[in-house]
Amino acid sequence: MTDPLLSSYTGWPVIIGSGLAGLSVALHLKQPCVLLSPHPNGEGSSTQLAQGGMAAAIGPDDTPEDHARDTLRAGAGLCDEAVVRAITQAGPSAVETLLRWGVPLARDESGSLALHLEGAHSRPRVVYAGGDQSGAYIASSLREKVRATSRIHVLTGQSLEGLHHEDGLLRGVWVSGGFIPTQCCILATGSCGGLYRHTTIPLSNKGMGIAHAALAGARLGDMEFTQFHPTSLAAGPTQTRRPLISEAVRGAGGPLVLENGERFTEELAPRDVVSRAIAAQLKDGHQVYLDGRHFKDRPFSARFPAITKACHAAGLDPDTQRLPVKPAMHYHMGGIAVDHHGRSSLPGLWANGEVACTGLHGANRLASNSLLEALVCGKWIAEDIDAHSTPFIPLRAPTPRVPFLSPTWTLNDLMEEQAGILRHEDGLRALLEKALPLARHYGPALTASFIAWAALHRKESRGSHWREDAPTSRSPQRQSWTLVDLPSA
Ligand SMILES: Cc1cc2nc3c(=O)[nH]c(=O)nc-3n(C[C@H](O)[C@H](O)[C@H](O)COP(=O)(O)OP(=O)(O)OC[C@H]3O[C@@H](n4cnc5c(N)ncnc54)[C@H](O)[C@@H]3O)c2cc1C
């Protein structure tokens, strides 16, 4: 039975997810829309947890071209150059948008916006808020603005349960409360880090958006590229979300050291390089620490209050103790393949934010480019939808929903071991053997199968995808897949 309220939204754009990607589309649209938010205050969203901030070329000696160059270098030959140039070009105006929407970005003594330096950026370029609480500050300002915007109807406590399509067009959305007939849906469901044992993202996020889109026939791109953040806090229970120690700590001069205090890597190299360097040390039986005890002007706790809180919760004092660290799944470069307007291959379905694959990140995301992508592409999607709205054509009959089952996800160890930092054909085949039989009826298994399948077919090492059995790079080529490409279980 469908809640009558849902039927009253017939034909409206339906945005699934209320992280920055969903909020940006909602706020940029000019027409009424529905925003689905499973949790009322941003719980379950990576946006809420973002620490470092948003990259944009606003520094006195910076240019969008330099930002593009750094992005392309990190992406290891697989970025879509036109997308990189367009998004980095839009960076400065995205910062203005945040200020206009009331985000209290940090300023230096002269009153200019303060900028962090992060890994693989050639200069300080990251605007931030609340020290290391950029995401929470951004999300809270934007949620406030959504509350004050009467054309945005927020449905809390509702999850996506299926996409309905007829004749190759999106025609409606199944949510927990029933069916919304629409020919315009924007997926903004975030990451799939919850598939792995060690992750910095909310555990509930296991790639259901990707699975629903794939089941409806949408094309997926760059699925093999999963980024491991080098420095999650390796203390406390292993099966919970791991607190992140931002790149900004290394940017501020905190070295990575072994138990004897020896440095072993270039701290601000691209994330995949640093993650592999740490993984190699851990494999050799060493402990790896991030040392934030010796910052010149302000102590760790004053610079990074939220990280300090997480350290205290794990029984560590970052002002006086070194912090044990370990890489953890942090960001998915792949996702629903979209064009420059955020359109997927299924007409009527757009995707934004981490669930989408625009081509900005290529084989490896440059730090703090994801908030920028979600904000900028959200604007472009809204403009596209407003420019092409058509009256809703009555449905033939909505097919009954066939919901995915929701058993407990038990393959997180296998994902970590076989589709983690170091991969091998044998391990990827073993993972597929377990995941594929579950994939028809279980969304996380479908997304995991696509990651394993894409990683198996990339017989080279590039960016965040490292094959121990194929350690060199071939000529750069992007991969994309649909449901029919997967072998049936
Ligand atoms: C700890 C941490 C620190 C980070 N720091 C930075 C940083 O400093 N700078 C930067 O650029 N990036 C950073 N990132 C990455 C960045 O935060 C994310 O890529 C970005 O916020 C993703 O935004 P999003 O809106 O796409 O997804 P999210 O913010 O994750 O939002 C997804 C939304 O979809 C909802 N959802 C999920 N599944 C369903 C479903 N089935 N039905 C309905 N709703 C659903 C969720 O509840 C949530 O509301 C960080 C990530 C983490 C985890």
Side-chain angles (χ1 to χ4, degrees), residues 53-84:
M54 187 178 89
I58 59 161
D61 57 345
D62 203 359
T63 64
E65 291 71 39
D66 287 345
H67 186 180
R69 197 173 313 119
D70 290 345
T71 302
L72 291 166
R73 196 178 302 129
L78 282 200
C79 297
D80 179 326
E81 201 167 326
V83 170
V84 171

Side-chain angles (χ1 to χ4, degrees), residues 22 160 355 425 434 474:
L160 173 68
V355 75
E425 176 171 351
K434 294 269 187 219
R474 294 180 313 180

Side-chain angles (χ1 to χ4, degrees), residues 16-23 36-39 42-55 118 126 134 158-161 188-191 200-202 204-205 208-209 212 241-244 246 271 330-331 352-355 365-372 374:
I16 317 281
S18 60
L20 180 58
L23 293 167
L36 232 71
S37 175
H39 310 282
E43 307 90 333
S45 127
S46 294
T47 300
Q48 190 70 19
L49 302 169
Q51 296 178 345
M54 187 178 89
E118 295 199 351
V126 178
S134 304
Q158 298 267 350
S159 289
L160 173 68
E161 296 203 345
T189 50
S191 187
T200 60
I201 78 136
S204 56
N205 225 339
M208 286 304 289
H212 283 299
R241 194 186 73 74
R242 288 196 169 268
L244 178 76
S246 166
R271 285 182 176 172
H330 180 62
Y331 186 84
N352 192 32
E354 196 165 334
V355 75
R365 174 187 68 129
L366 182 67
S368 288
N369 263 356
S370 38
L371 293 180
L372 177 67

Side-chain angles (χ1 to χ4, degrees), residues 163 165 187 209-221 335-337 343-347 349 351 450 481-485:
L163 298 172
H165 54 101
L187 282 181
I210 288 178
H212 283 299
L215 212 60
R219 183 163 284 280
L220 309 178
I336 302 164
R343 297 177 185 180
S344 77
S345 64
L346 176 68
L349 181 68
F450 272 111
W481 313 95
T482 65
L483 195 61
V484 297
D485 297 315

Side-chain angles (χ1 to χ4, degrees), residues 16 50 117 130 135 138 191 214-215 246 306 308 330 339 373 389 391 405 456 468 473 487:
I16 317 281
L117 173 64
I138 290 172
S191 187
L215 212 60
S246 166
T308 301
H330 180 62
D339 68 9
E373 179 190 47
S389 289
L405 304 173
L456 187 64
E468 288 181 298
S473 299

Side-chain angles (χ1 to χ4, degrees), residues 6-168:
L6 298 183
S7 312
S8 72
Y9 297 133
T10 297
W12 288 27
V14 179
I15 302 162
I16 317 281
S18 60
L20 180 58
L23 293 167
S24 173
V25 176
L27 286 168
H28 280 110
L29 273 171
K30 295 204 163 45
Q31 60 188 291
C33 62
V34 180
L35 178 70
L36 232 71
S37 175
H39 310 282
N41 292 311
E43 307 90 333
S45 127
S46 294
T47 300
Q48 190 70 19
L49 302 169
Q51 296 178 345
M54 187 178 89
I58 59 161
D61 57 345
D62 203 359
T63 64
E65 291 71 39
D66 287 345
H67 186 180
R69 197 173 313 119
D70 290 345
T71 302
L72 291 166
R73 196 178 302 129
L78 282 200
C79 297
D80 179 326
E81 201 167 326
V83 170
V84 171
R85 295 203 183 285
I87 292 180
T88 50
Q89 199 71 42
S93 70
V95 174
E96 280 166 26
T97 302
L98 289 185
L99 292 170
R100 203 172 62 246
W101 286 349
V103 180
L105 296 175
R107 293 185 181 270
D108 61 22
E109 306 77 46
S110 70
S112 305
L113 288 172
L115 297 172
H116 273 321
L117 173 64
E118 295 199 351
H121 284 276
S122 52
R123 51 177 57 77
R125 181 181 283 142
V126 178
V127 295
Y128 61 96
D132 53 3
Q133 301 166 80
S134 304
Y137 276 61
I138 290 172
S140 118
S141 302
L142 267 57
R143 277 200 304 273
E144 193 57 46
K145 189 147 177 61
V146 162
R147 273 193 285 274
T149 308
S150 58
R151 63 166 181 81
I152 305 175
H153 291 224
V154 180
L155 293 179
T156 44
Q158 298 267 350
S159 289
L160 173 68
E161 296 203 345
L163 298 172
H164 174 62
H165 54 101
E166 278 178 11
D167 308 323

